[in-house]
Amino acid sequence: MEQNELYPIFLKLHNLNVLIVGGGNVGLEKLSFLLKSSPNANVEVVAKHFHLEIKVLAENHPSLKLTQAKFKKKMLKKRNMVIACTDDLKVNKRIYDLSRKRYLICNIADTPDLCDYYLGGIVTKGNVKIAISTNGKSPTTAKRLRELFEEVIPDDINKMVENLNEYRKTLKGNFEDKVKKMNEITASLKNKE
């Protein structure tokens, strides 16, 4: 049986520099996805033309910069992450190749073989965030799972997380003792019998 070997991480995009090349419908989709999860992400979108909704997003997100220009390799300097979603496959492949030479993680929209990472489904309820991946095989399944988790995770889960964090701060003892106590307290989340 095939297994998903992707390693999930949660990036602090307000501390990183993200470049999106492409300002059309796919660029809008990728940008909207990033900003929904990380509204203060440092993102620059480079394109010859911008979808109207991208311009609206730029008005509402001060950390978003729009650069109306053709892609140039110097635009990869001081970046941490790149997304290419132009309608020109040769440009996208060039961006991928240049990114790899600079050790930048890169996502070429709708081209799994040219992706170091995927943008999966995300459920956010306060401090709780769940990422969903189908290994790039079925974005629709990820979407349905996201909808399911949004329904079944209680809206007040953030209050529980905050309370547990405050309690954790009061615990004395070594790391193992603290972990044991926190495991005892949260065991009811797992055992729903």
Side-chain angles (χ1 to χ4, degrees):
M1 183 168 109
E2 187 177 357
Q3 184 173 329
N4 186 332
E5 294 186 8
L6 298 174
Y7 184 79
I9 60 172
F10 293 91
L11 300 171
K12 296 179 179 181
L13 292 184
H14 61 279
N15 290 336
L16 302 176
N17 290 310
V18 179
L19 176 68
I20 298 177
V21 182
N25 287 325
V26 179
L28 172 63
E29 177 188 330
K30 301 290 185 180
L31 178 62
S32 297
F33 184 84
L34 285 179
L35 294 176
K36 179 181 178 194
S37 190
S38 301
N40 296 309
N42 286 316
V43 182
E44 181 176 359
V45 181
V46 173
K48 292 183 226 172
H49 306 285
F50 297 101
H51 191 290
L52 178 61
E53 289 183 46
I54 290 177
K55 293 178 183 179
V56 171
L57 286 171
E59 291 172 9
N60 296 317
H61 293 85
S63 61
L64 171 59
K65 178 183 176 188
L66 303 184
T67 301
Q68 191 166 3
K70 183 179 173 183
F71 171 78
K72 295 176 183 69
K73 70 179 178 180
K74 70 179 182 179
M75 294 174 173
L76 294 174
K77 288 183 181 174
K78 298 183 180 177
R79 304 294 177 179
N80 302 105
M81 166 175 169
V82 180
I83 298 171
C85 44
T86 74
D87 55 6
D88 187 332
L89 296 176
K90 288 181 184 177
V91 170
N92 290 346
K93 175 74 165 95
R94 179 171 173 254
I95 292 167
Y96 178 79
D97 292 339
L98 290 169
S99 295
R100 298 295 291 171
K101 286 179 184 176
R102 288 166 176 76
Y103 302 99
L104 298 173
I105 60 173
C106 187
N107 173 289
I108 305 301
D110 297 323
T111 314
D113 290 344
L114 300 181
C115 290
D116 298 315
Y117 62 94
Y118 302 128
L119 304 174
I122 295 177
V123 177
T124 304
K125 296 228 177 171
N127 286 298
V128 175
K129 187 167 283 198
I130 299 170
I132 304 161
S133 167
T134 60
N135 211 18
K137 304 252 186 230
S138 178
T140 303
T141 300
K143 175 184 175 183
R144 294 297 176 226
L145 287 171
R146 177 185 52 80
E147 292 169 348
L148 172 70
F149 285 128
E150 285 174 343
E151 284 182 32
V152 299
I153 296 172
D155 289 332
D156 63 351
I157 195 161
N158 193 56
K159 188 65 178 164
M160 181 192 73
V161 169
E162 289 174 354
N163 289 340
L164 286 170
N165 183 50
E166 290 303 313
Y167 177 73
R168 187 180 73 171
K169 290 176 187 177
T170 68
L171 294 176
K172 305 288 185 236
N174 64 28
F175 179 76
E176 287 179 16
D177 293 337
K178 291 177 183 180
V179 169
K180 182 179 176 188
K181 189 65 177 167
M182 292 303 292
N183 283 337
E184 289 170 5
I185 290 172
T186 58
S188 66
L189 291 173
K190 180 179 166 190
N191 301 323
K192 292 283 184 184
E193 297 170 13

